[in-house]
Amino acid sequence: GQSLEQPSEVTAVEGAIVQINCTYQTSGFYGLSWYQQHDGGAPTFLSYNALDGLEETGRFSSFLSRSDSYGYLLLQELQMKDSASYFCAVRDRGGNKLTFGTGTQLKVEL
Amino acid sequence: KAGVTQTPRYLIKTRGQQVTLSCSPISGHRSVSWYQQTPGQGLQFLFEYFSETQRNKGNFPGRFSGRQFSNSRSEMNVSTLELGDSALYLCASSLGPGGGGSEKLFFGSGTQLSVL
């Protein structure tokens, strides 16, 4: 099965840069996804890394290294509205099931 | 374009009862997947449907079942409810089945189920 670990909580100040890590133990998978979820809200898709390397979408970037079993989400120019939970996820090639990470609660302070 | 719609938004049931939750995907999306979210276990995959066929299933007991209709709308059913089934049940839709590129899921706001 899959196992994806994330830090439970990260705190940063407005305007700063923060990195949320996702380490995993899994055999073959298609790629690494990231989702954002505000309290009481639905998860929303942020990014997807099918290949190793960096993917950039505005203030958000995501990175994947299959050789290191590691990925991260980078948020730049933090804003108060970025306070939310962030989840990484992988879909295994065998059973095609989507597994989510443990989730990271990001708190952005003034 | 309307988003993913889940009904009802809140539900209170007692142990032993059964419940049916509904999910209407984004128009044109043919894949629907279901997830259970709890503070202790996080987001856990229940099952995925594509073109009315269940493609895969998570590690949940047989009390959890689902189906998809020809218009891509989906329902999930939980029979003989237990206290531990209290959770937020999320539905997500995508254009195609997961794997090989169709990884962008669009989630509904969920159904908050409380079992008393």
Side-chain angles (χ1 to χ4, degrees):
Chain A
Q2 321 290 349
S3 172
L4 296 94
E5 294 296 324
Q6 300 177 236
S8 58
E9 193 174 300
V10 172
T11 301
V13 297
E14 197 175 31
I17 299 173
V18 73
Q19 178 174 312
I20 298 174
N21 297 325
C22 174
T23 56
Y24 57 85
Q25 294 182 7
T26 177
S27 48
F29 63 95
Y30 287 104
L32 184 69
S33 303
W34 287 92
Y35 288 84
Q36 177 194 61
Q37 185 179 31
H38 286 98
D39 281 349
T44 55
F45 174 85
L46 290 176
S47 68
Y48 175 66
N49 291 69
L51 304 173
D52 283 10
L54 193 68
E55 291 284 340
E56 297 179 82
T57 310
R59 295 188 296 114
F60 295 80
S61 302
S62 57
F63 174 83
L64 174 63
S65 170
R66 290 177 188 265
S67 59
D68 295 322
S69 297
Y70 165 71
Y72 66 72
L73 179 69
L74 191 73
L75 297 86
Q76 303 183 72
E77 300 172 20
L78 279 175
Q79 301 175 11
M80 297 298 290
K81 68 178 182 179
D82 297 329
S83 293
S85 293
Y86 293 82
F87 297 89
C88 58
V90 298
R91 186 182 301 275
D92 67 273
R93 291 183 179 273
N96 214 41
K97 299 176 184 179
L98 188 64
T99 300
F100 283 86
T102 49
T104 299
Q105 185 169 17
L106 171 65
K107 294 181 181 178
V108 181
E109 300 175 335
L110 291 172
Chain B
K1 211 179 217 184
V4 178
T5 304
Q6 289 189 248
T7 56
R9 185 70 179 91
Y10 300 96
L11 205 51
I12 299 175
K13 292 285 187 179
T14 56
R15 279 181 299 174
Q17 287 187 308
Q18 75 159 14
V19 66
T20 299
L21 312 181
S22 180
C23 173
S24 293
I26 290 172
S27 178
H29 285 193
R30 295 170 62 195
S31 179
V32 173
S33 51
W34 290 87
Y35 304 85
Q36 181 195 66
Q37 186 173 30
T38 60
Q41 299 296 318
L43 269 162
Q44 293 191 290
F45 170 78
L46 279 158
F47 24 67
E48 179 186 20
Y49 289 87
F50 177 73
S51 293
E52 302 178 67
T53 301
Q54 186 179 88
R55 297 188 73 241
N56 44 64
K57 191 176 192 301
N59 298 324
F60 280 82
R63 300 185 297 107
F64 292 80
S65 63
R67 59 178 175 168
Q68 186 181 34
F69 303 94
S70 58
N71 61 358
S72 294
R73 190 178 70 85
S74 178
E75 289 181 347
M76 69 162 280
N77 184 78
V78 188
S79 61
T80 320
L81 283 167
E82 300 177 0
L83 294 178
D85 296 333
S86 294
L88 179 67
Y89 290 88
L90 291 160
C91 157
S93 75
S94 59
L95 283 169
S102 293
E103 292 303 331
K104 185 173 183 178
L105 301 180
F106 295 82
F107 282 84
S109 297
T111 294
Q112 184 66 54
L113 173 65
S114 297
V115 182
L116 306 177

